[in-house]
């Protein structure tokens, strides 16, 4: 079969190609573990789309301009999708890291005005230009770890100007912005309710134009369930998809609220018990597991195996942020998913590709290697694609194709 037309990129002679197959999303149960593996494979990209993929011996003859990328000794997986990051911040929390290493707890530091609020001070001081530069730098880190699609939350501004600048910086950096307007109560407000009056009245109208989704930190010391409901209902009425940070330290009603409001996801779940597991299994709200956060804070891991066995739809993400998860590596998250959450490499791959794309409303466009989808590929320097999870903290991402263009090469 001869093909011609737009300029193409051929990734050839791959040791393996591994991808979740076609089917409805979000994936759960046996479907979460269903990964197609092709040995001695190629992927043909045309413009920003995948035109064909399969075995080298079935490679069609191609007419017209063709660039080639030698995939010998490499494996291709779909460009990774990080559906939960906090990339818009100034300063760092290395002093707090040292205090925690000496025994201080994350919640104690937060209650004492450190934690999230210390990053709020540093982020406000950055200004719009500084925020733009920081998010761009963080986007480069994500790409170098194989991430081609990412969500980025605001939430370290908590004033009108810095929240809106954060959302603009995420969009400019290539991410999908989420307005985390309810992350913490900033010091200029007496209580959560008066802060929410301001956020919903003064920030939401413009935030809704800039963001794709809204998120809330439903937790002891942050926002209570009734406050989270008020915030999310306001955001939903303004057209935003809904996400929740829930069950990180305490079960405070995040899962029932997420189900009731039709949220895309509820994220963290380190404290989720049996009833929450059952409720997620019976609904389409995706449980987004963030094992780097549990590791970084030395907290219990979320019940990943119980959720998967019950049939809950799962995604995995970095939770990249300066306080609880200072990592941009989804390959590391896949390792932790296998060793700490007892998921299989196949379940982990689905959770950082097709299901993460579902959480962002993008499952029809990316998250798998299949004709018609966006040409996003992550190439691993490994003889078997499962090294993605097996090579703990390994530098195995050797090249990244995004939208049919070579975007990163080690
Ligand atoms: O997802 N839990 C709330 N927010 C972030 C951490 C924010 C911070 O510590 O700066 C999280 O872990
Ligand atoms: Fe988070």
């Amino acid at each position: 079969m001869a093909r011609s037309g737009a300029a193409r990129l051929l990734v050839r002679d791959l040791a393996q190609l591994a991808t979740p197959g076609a089917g409805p999303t979000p994936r759960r149960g046996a479907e979460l573990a269903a990964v197609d593996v092709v040995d001695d494979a190629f992927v043909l990209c045309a413009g920003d789309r995948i035109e064909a993929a399969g075995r080298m011996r079935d490679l069609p003859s191609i007419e017209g301009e063709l660039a080639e990328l030698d995939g010998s000794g490499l494996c291709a997986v779909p460009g990774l999708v990080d559906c939960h990051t906090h990339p818009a911040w100034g300063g760092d929390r290395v002093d707090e890291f040292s205090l925690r290493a000496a025994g201080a707890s994350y919640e104690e530091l937060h209650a004492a005005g450190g934690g999230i609020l210390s990053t709020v001070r540093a982020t406000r001081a950055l200004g719009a230009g500084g925020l733009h530069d920081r998010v761009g730098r963080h986007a480069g880190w994500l790409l170098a770890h194989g991430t081609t699609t990412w969500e980025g939350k605001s939430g370290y501004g908590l004033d009108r100007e810095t929240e809106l600048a954060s959302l603009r910086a995420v969009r400019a950096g290539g991410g999908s912005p989420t307005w985390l307007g309810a992350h913490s109560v900033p010091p200029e407000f007496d209580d959560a309710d008066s802060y929410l009056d301001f956020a919903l009245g003064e920030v939401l109208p413009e935030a809704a134009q800039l963001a794709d989704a809204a998120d809330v930190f439903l937790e002891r010391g942050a926002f209570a369930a009734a406050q989270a409901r008020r915030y999310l209902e306001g955001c939903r009425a303004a057209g935003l998809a809904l996400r929740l940070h829930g069950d990180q330290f305490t079960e405070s009603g995040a899962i029932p609220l997420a189900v009731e409001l039709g949220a895309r996801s509820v994220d963290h779940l380190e404290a989720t018990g049996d009833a929450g597991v059952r409720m997620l299994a019976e609904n389409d709200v995706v449980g987004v597991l963030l094992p780097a956060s549990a590791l970084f804070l030395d907290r219990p891991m979320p019940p990943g195996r119980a959720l998967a066995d019950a049939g809950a739809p799962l995604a995995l993400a970095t939770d990249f942020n300066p306080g609880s998860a200072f990592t941009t590596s989804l390959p590391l998250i896949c390792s932790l998913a296998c060793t700490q959450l007892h998921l299989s490499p196949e379940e982990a791959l689905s959770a950082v590709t097709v299901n993460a794309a579902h959480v962002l409303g993008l499952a029809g466009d990316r998250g798998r290697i299949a004709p018609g989808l966006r040409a996003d590929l992550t190439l691993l320097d490994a003889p078997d694609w499962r090294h993605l999870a097996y090579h703990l903290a390994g530098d195995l991402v050797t090249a990244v194709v995004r939208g049919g263009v070579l975007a990163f090469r080690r």
Side-chain angles (χ1 to χ4, degrees):
M1 177 179 21
R3 307 198 181 208
S4 60
R8 293 188 172 88
L9 173 67
L10 174 66
V11 186
R12 60 177 305 142
D13 295 310
L14 288 158
Q16 285 186 330
L17 170 170
T19 179
T25 62
R27 301 287 155 86
R28 56 173 89 229
E31 293 301 313
L32 189 68
V35 167
D36 298 336
V37 180
V38 180
D39 292 326
D40 194 17
F42 76 90
V43 182
L44 178 62
C45 312
D48 72 345
R49 297 287 127 183
I50 295 168
E51 181 172 326
R55 288 174 301 187
M56 277 303 290
R57 65 167 186 252
D58 299 326
L59 180 66
S61 67
I62 300 156
E63 291 167 6
E65 197 186 329
L66 180 72
E68 293 198 0
L69 189 58
D70 180 11
S72 305
L74 308 179
C75 291
V77 295
L80 305 179
V81 179
D82 198 339
C83 67
H84 183 139
T85 86
H86 304 250
W89 45 269
D92 62 42
R93 301 259 282 282
V94 67
D95 290 337
E96 173 185 314
F97 182 76
S98 291
L99 290 172
R100 284 200 300 104
S105 89
Y106 177 78
E107 282 189 288
E108 279 162 17
L109 291 161
H110 183 64
I116 293 172
L117 291 177
S118 71
T119 299
V120 170
R121 289 189 286 276
T123 305
R124 288 177 175 179
L126 265 187
L131 256 174
H132 179 276
D133 293 349
R134 285 297 286 264
V135 173
R137 180 169 156 80
H138 298 158
W141 297 351
L142 289 159
L143 180 66
H145 287 99
T147 294
T148 51
T149 295
W150 49 277
E151 176 261 22
K153 303 174 195 297
S154 68
Y156 290 117
L158 306 179
D159 62 21
R160 186 171 190 281
E161 188 186 337
T162 318
E163 283 298 302
L164 298 178
S166 298
L167 297 173
R168 288 193 187 97
V170 168
R171 184 75 75 190
S176 168
T178 293
W179 183 44
L180 180 51
H183 195 193
S184 191
V185 179
E188 60 274 21
F189 289 90
D190 292 335
D191 55 43
D193 292 304
S194 54
Y195 169 67
L196 289 180
D197 291 342
F198 157 78
L200 293 170
E202 305 293 322
V203 189
L204 173 60
E206 196 160 348
Q209 305 305 309
L210 300 171
D212 296 328
D215 196 346
V216 56
F217 186 19
L218 200 182
E219 188 53 73
R220 170 177 74 193
F223 294 87
Q227 293 158 343
R229 172 195 299 281
R230 179 182 166 213
Y231 174 78
L232 293 172
E233 284 178 344
C235 292
R236 186 176 61 178
L240 294 170
L242 304 184
R243 314 277 305 267
L244 289 87
H245 279 69
D247 293 3
Q248 183 180 9
F249 299 102
T250 56
E251 279 192 292
S252 301
I255 292 176
L257 186 61
V259 167
E260 182 198 325
L261 297 180
R264 287 249 180 88
S265 74
V266 54
D267 306 35
H268 271 292
L269 306 180
E270 289 94 313
T272 299
D274 293 345
V277 169
R278 277 197 303 277
M279 191 172 256
L280 282 176
E282 288 160 5
N283 290 282
D284 280 343
V285 177
V286 176
V288 178
L289 307 181
L290 310 168
S293 168
L295 182 74
F296 204 78
L297 298 183
D298 192 19
R299 300 275 313 160
M301 287 285 162
R305 190 68 255 156
L307 284 160
D309 286 344
L314 295 179
L316 289 158
T318 60
D319 195 23
F320 169 62
N321 76 76
S324 72
F326 192 40
T327 178
T328 42
S329 173
L330 280 176
L332 173 65
I333 301 309
C334 290
S335 289
L336 296 176
C338 294
T339 63
Q340 306 300 301
L341 307 184
H342 310 294
L343 301 183
S344 67
E346 290 80 3
E347 289 169 325
L349 183 68
S350 296
V352 295
T353 56
V354 65
N355 270 10
H358 173 91
V359 169
L360 302 183
L362 293 170
D365 188 63
R366 59 192 83 166
R368 296 183 295 117
I369 300 175
L373 295 200
R374 198 170 85 159
D376 292 353
L377 305 171
T378 291
L379 303 186
L380 310 174
D381 184 6
D384 182 304
W385 74 270
R386 292 170 296 178
H387 284 237
L388 174 69
Y390 166 52
H391 197 156
L392 180 66
D395 283 336
L396 81 176
V397 173
T398 192
V400 180
V401 174
R402 188 177 51 197
V405 173
L406 184 63
F408 172 79
R409 182 122 215 199
R410 186 174 300 282

